[in-house]
Amino acid sequence: METQEASPAKSHTSRHKCSACYKQFKKKEHLIAHMKVSYHSVHQPKCEVCYKHCKSLESLREHLTGPLPKANCSSIFSERGCDLCLKLFDSQSALIEHREICCLPAPRPFETISVSSTDSPVHTSDPIDEYNHDDRQQERPKAIALDCEMVGGGSDGSLDLCARVCLVDEDENVTFHSYVQPQIPVTDYRYEVTGLTEGQLKDAMPLKEVQERILEILYNGESVGKLRLDGGKARLLVGHDIEHGLDCLRMNYPDHLQRDTARYCPLMKTNLASHSLKYLTKKYLGYDIQCGFHDPYEDCVSVMRIYKRMRAQDHQLEGAKVSTLLDDGHNLLRNFEFSNKELEKMSPDELYEISRSNYRCWCLDSKCAL
Ligand SMILES: [Zn+2]
Ligand SMILES: [Zn+2]
Ligand SMILES: [Zn+2]
Ligand SMILES: [Zn+2]
């Protein structure tokens, strides 16, 4: 396949090669068809050796580390690439220095952090929020991570009931933590996983109050009924399978303010199924979670760290291009709104230029308000 790479593009023997993923096609129309469904963009994970675009970080990982890696890329990557964030460094010493900050220790267990009583909710105000006058910081929507532990209800114990909830801010402070009084009788405490017992839930906070506290934190003074389109001061809700958590809490939160590590394309399997948070934490942060009882604080911290890594990605949105790239989340259907005649005339590079992502990249959260 790669032998044709050097041949002139216009030669009649040459194939039509995708500028992003390097796939080759005998006919131009096949390349166009490929481009229409590939959603290549500057936001896709890329190999820093050959610049090939990949569908997900998982496919980039396969490209770099196997089981059947690209030989040249993998040999360079194995010398000075970070197997957590998949970035490439100039030297081995730069890589070693980077690993110090990239590979994180597991968060301390919830029981050991400074919470006076786990039964009374913790609400630490965010001093940065109140005293920060840096305009650039103000623009960026702030995120809150949410995680729930579920116990079982119903005759077979398969109905998920939220029994414990934790909210953590961007600096890993607990914004809210509470046990939750079950709405219906608990038939399975799932003790091996949750570590929860009847006694902990008996006098816990009623669900309605929990909902109010969470909404208060998330909306952060914005009106629940008339939330501004840009979210205003409302928080981005970060979590793993947020919908399920919200379902169990019997709550809603606007989709465009949710950042879900189970639904974010770059973090999904190549077949677009979700990874577990345990897997993502191990692969992208370098430590184990959920080894004993599940700790919603530990899950919150992990999900927040993954979100912040994804948000910090540098996708080189320079100058004028930023405005069009910001359309990504809102104009997904505009992808390839051109006639076939127009498309036939375009070069592979031009086809790539008009291609847009089919998801809203989290790097955009760091560049502007929603
Ligand atoms: Zn392609
Ligand atoms: Zn991006
Ligand atoms: Zn490569
Ligand atoms: Zn790294």
Side-chain angles (χ1 to χ4, degrees):
M1 293 270 276
E2 296 303 311
T3 51
Q4 298 208 356
E5 215 163 325
S7 65
K10 294 275 155 58
S11 148
H12 68 278
T13 55
S14 85
R15 290 164 172 238
H16 302 275
K17 182 162 140 187
C18 173
S19 300
C21 72
Y22 308 153
K23 240 182 222 151
Q24 299 187 56
F25 303 90
K26 272 189 195 148
K27 292 183 174 165
K28 182 69 171 281
E29 59 186 283
H30 293 158
L31 171 62
I32 292 168
H34 162 79
M35 292 304 283
K36 281 182 176 175
V37 296
S38 297
Y39 303 99
H40 289 311
S41 83
V42 68
H43 298 289
Q44 279 188 313
K46 275 182 285 292
C47 171
E48 290 186 27
V49 182
C50 71
Y51 303 107
K52 175 184 152 74
H53 290 49
C54 298
K55 244 164 76 178
S56 64
L57 286 160
E58 190 76 1
S59 49
L60 174 57
R61 196 183 293 282
E62 274 169 29
H63 171 84
L64 292 168
T65 63
L68 286 165
K70 193 83 195 312
N72 182 45
C73 301
S74 91
S75 75
I76 291 171
F77 185 80
S78 68
E79 273 168 35
R80 44 192 176 85
C82 172
D83 65 342
L84 294 170
C85 64
L86 306 179
K87 284 190 194 123
L88 194 65
F89 294 84
D90 294 337
S91 64
Q92 261 184 323
S93 59
L95 170 66
I96 291 165
E97 206 176 298
H98 160 83
R99 290 286 301 192
E100 295 280 312
I101 44 166
C102 196
C103 185
L104 296 171
R108 287 187 298 150
F110 183 75
E111 290 68 30
T112 67
I113 61 173
S114 56
V115 176
S116 46
S117 158
T118 48
D119 273 330
S120 62
V122 194
H123 191 172
T124 54
S125 66
D126 185 352
I128 299 163
D129 210 29
E130 277 151 25
Y131 303 112
N132 186 357
H133 298 293
D134 180 348
D135 287 332
R136 255 187 45 219
Q137 282 281 319
Q138 297 260 336
E139 271 179 41
R140 185 168 86 185
K142 289 209 159 61
I144 292 278
L146 167 86
D147 190 70
C148 303
E149 283 314 314
M150 321 290 185
V151 293
S155 56
D156 61 350
S158 67
L159 196 64
D160 283 343
L161 308 172
C162 179
R164 190 179 172 190
V165 62
C166 188
L167 268 67
V168 164
D169 70 13
E170 290 190 18
D171 302 316
E172 303 181 5
N173 299 309
V174 177
T175 311
F176 178 69
H177 171 270
S178 183
Y179 294 104
V180 185
Q181 216 175 79
Q183 299 273 86
I184 59 167
V186 177
T187 47
D188 183 358
Y189 283 89
R190 304 178 186 170
Y191 181 78
E192 291 74 29
V193 176
T194 65
L196 293 169
T197 57
E198 194 178 347
Q200 280 167 306
L201 304 187
K202 206 171 55 192
D203 299 315
M205 191 183 277
L207 185 65
K208 191 160 172 17
E209 204 181 325
V210 170
Q211 292 168 339
E212 281 164 12
R213 298 295 300 267
I214 295 174
L215 288 176
E216 191 187 312
I217 292 163
L218 291 179
Y219 278 92
N220 192 34
E222 293 294 327
S223 156
V224 177
K226 289 173 268 178
L227 186 71
R228 287 190 268 165
L229 197 61
D230 67 356
K233 285 185 295 175
R235 310 292 195 188
L236 295 175
L237 174 57
V238 178
H240 193 77
D241 199 0
I242 297 176
E243 211 174 281
H244 184 233
L246 290 178
D247 270 357
C248 296
L249 285 162
R250 305 196 190 168
M251 281 175 50
N252 290 305
Y253 200 59
D255 280 350
H256 74 285
L257 297 178
Q258 295 182 23
R259 300 291 181 268
D260 194 332
T261 52
R263 306 258 175 279
Y264 186 54
C265 287
L267 292 174
M268 292 169 89
K269 294 180 190 173
T270 359
N271 65 4
L272 287 181
S274 304
H275 279 298
S276 66
L277 181 59
K278 188 180 172 73
Y279 175 91
L280 292 177
T281 302
K282 182 73 182 170
K283 285 284 183 182
Y284 294 88
L285 303 173
Y287 60 85
D288 289 300
I289 57 165
Q290 302 171 355
C291 299
F293 296 141
H294 287 204
D295 178 346
Y297 169 73
E298 184 183 63
D299 288 2
C300 273
V301 169
S302 302
V303 94
M304 180 60 88
R305 287 173 176 178
I306 295 169
Y307 167 70
K308 284 168 75 179
R309 288 250 163 117
M310 294 295 123
R311 184 179 67 185
Q313 292 176 108
D314 182 14
H315 289 150
Q316 293 156 12
L317 311 168
E318 66 298 289
K321 282 185 90 182
V322 174
S323 60
T324 51
L325 286 161
L326 290 181
D327 283 347
D328 283 3
H330 307 288
N331 293 320
L332 299 180
L333 298 174
R334 292 222 193 130
N335 200 37
F336 283 88
E337 249 184 21
F338 293 85
S339 72
N340 280 338
K341 231 177 163 177
E342 286 173 299
L343 293 172
E344 277 288 344
K345 273 188 257 163
M346 290 184 192
S347 70
D349 281 349
E350 285 167 334
L351 288 170
Y352 172 67
E353 281 295 310
I354 61 161
S355 178
R356 293 286 174 270
S357 176
N358 60 343
Y359 62 92
R360 189 185 188 281
C361 183
W362 292 349
C363 80
L364 300 173
D365 289 347
S366 71
K367 300 199 162 69
C368 62
L370 301 173

